[in-house]
Amino acid sequence: MIDKNYAHPDALVTTQWVAEHLSDPGLRLIESNEDILLYDTGHIQGAVHIDWRADLQDETIRDYITVERFSALCERHGISNNTTVVFYGDKSNWWACYALWVFRLFGHTKVKIMDGGREKWISEGRHLTKAVPHFVHGHYTPPCEKRRDEEIRAFYEQALAQSREGRPLIDVRSPGEFRGEMTHMPEYPQEGVLRGGHIPGAASVPWKMAVAEDATFKSYEELRTIYEDEAGLKRGDDVIAYCRIGERSSHTWFVLTYLLGYKNVRNYDGSWTEWGNRVGAPIEKG
Amino acid sequence: MPYPAKLNQIIELFESLPNAEKRESLISYAESAMRQAPKDGETFDLEDIRKDEECTDSVGVFLKISPSSRGCTFRVTLGPQVQTLTKAMTSILCKGLDGLTPEEVIEVPADFVPKIVGADLVRQRSQTVYYILTRMKGITKVWLNRERSARQHV
């Protein structure tokens, strides 16, 4: 547990805490990365790999897997309903937060993030292994009959309504993407979007504002200053966060939900690759 | 179009491997990427070290061309943030394109990449797997342009 005055401090654990709980049978470590082969190069002992694309998304439709497939995925990794799942990964935990958010879509609430992610674990000289663990199949009864999309996920129409009604939208992309000066992330290839800019009325708060140099999350007070004093969010606001495909905004969703304690935050995972390609979608530049 | 012989050997090896072994081989190639850096005392005809806006870290490509055979030798340096697939492709290309003439390098089609990597690993976020080949072709084109220009001035 990390004490930086967070609203839900138990949602974040340190690398040291993870090192001390590697043999805990009620805990499963999940590594989730952007670099598809990074897990294979070495991972924390006992960690399983969940691929954001192959494991969590439907192969055909742009959507997530079904409740049945999610249950099968958990069981395959020895995860039962009462297993606490600790996520970590590369890119300051983008994909770890994304995987955690998807687990929440399916109603799994015993979830944590390892603060600082893979970078911090490695920078501290901690051990990695290539041994892939195998666990006895878990027994997973879906906590809900269908995904809880309506609670923490936003779709195009909802983001559009949010924009028209002047309710908070947080654009977590880089300033250049927000202003419409570029249609790809800095340091990334173009991902096939036709228009640049942002959803009208959205505030620009790049995801990176929430992390320190060592990839750990900033303190409650620092985060409150960024999101409330500077971006104008208020307690009780119904907030939608978005980026390009929903992973950076999962990071911000985690910050707002678990670290600042906002109760109504949704991630618009269609994000700019949907909005910027959609015929007739209103766009603001600058 | 047939692939160059050395590259073709690597492609055929990968095509014969089941997915798990394919991944293991990619990791093995990725781990040898650092050995593709210039060796002490090596000299080059062209060097191109830069960090492109679309790439996560800096990549240096070094080209030496044998005056007698016109065979290319590539060396590559990679920044620490470069993705594992890109590291693997660096080793594969340094070996697979070794000894080709500049004209042959330019002609190498990029469609071998999914054959090595596997279609499931080539996705939007891993398009930089093509990046090293693009950079190698780029530096080779510069060399060819200079050669052409030098010939015109003789």
Side-chain angles (χ1 to χ4, degrees), chain B:
Chain B
M1 164 180 265
Y3 301 112
K6 287 180 187 171
L7 183 61
N8 199 46
Q9 276 182 358
I10 299 172
I11 295 168
E12 285 180 353
L13 171 70
F14 270 92
E15 284 186 316
S16 71
L17 295 175
N19 275 347
E21 286 178 40
K22 196 176 274 192
R23 287 175 89 100
E24 278 175 26
S25 297
L26 285 170
I27 298 300
S28 172
Y29 271 108
E31 287 172 345
S32 68
M34 290 307 160
R35 294 205 292 273
Q36 312 310 322
K39 314 272 186 291
D40 272 352
E42 271 188 313
T43 57
F44 299 93
D45 295 298
L46 280 174
E47 299 179 9
D48 174 21
I49 307 162
R50 61 187 144 101
K51 181 187 173 306
D52 283 329
E53 197 183 48
E54 297 87 352
C55 196
T56 54
D57 212 333
S58 67
V59 171
V61 180
F62 303 78
L63 172 66
K64 181 166 187 62
I65 298 194
S66 160
S68 52
S69 65
R70 294 183 88 244
C72 294
T73 300
F74 289 100
R75 300 275 185 244
V76 177
T77 56
L78 301 172
Q81 300 302 321
V82 167
Q83 291 214 346
T84 310
L85 272 179
T86 309
K87 290 179 186 169
M89 197 50 66
T90 297
S91 296
I92 288 166
L93 288 171
C94 283
K95 288 177 183 160
L97 305 188
D98 186 52
L100 296 185
T101 65
E103 291 80 2
E104 288 169 331
V105 170
I106 302 290
E107 293 298 314
V108 172
D111 61 1
F112 70 90
V113 172
K115 295 180 184 190
I116 287 179
V117 173
D120 60 321
L121 295 185
V122 181
R123 45 177 84 156
Q124 199 79 53
R125 279 282 160 100
S126 54
Q127 289 298 306
T128 50
V129 73
Y130 293 99
Y131 178 74
I132 300 296
L133 178 64
T134 306
R135 289 283 305 274
M136 287 176 162
K137 286 186 176 186
I139 197 169
T140 308
K141 272 183 197 156
V142 171
W143 188 91
L144 276 170
N145 288 341
R146 288 187 184 178
E147 184 196 45
R148 204 172 296 127
S149 168
R151 242 188 274 130
Q152 284 167 354
H153 287 91
V154 170

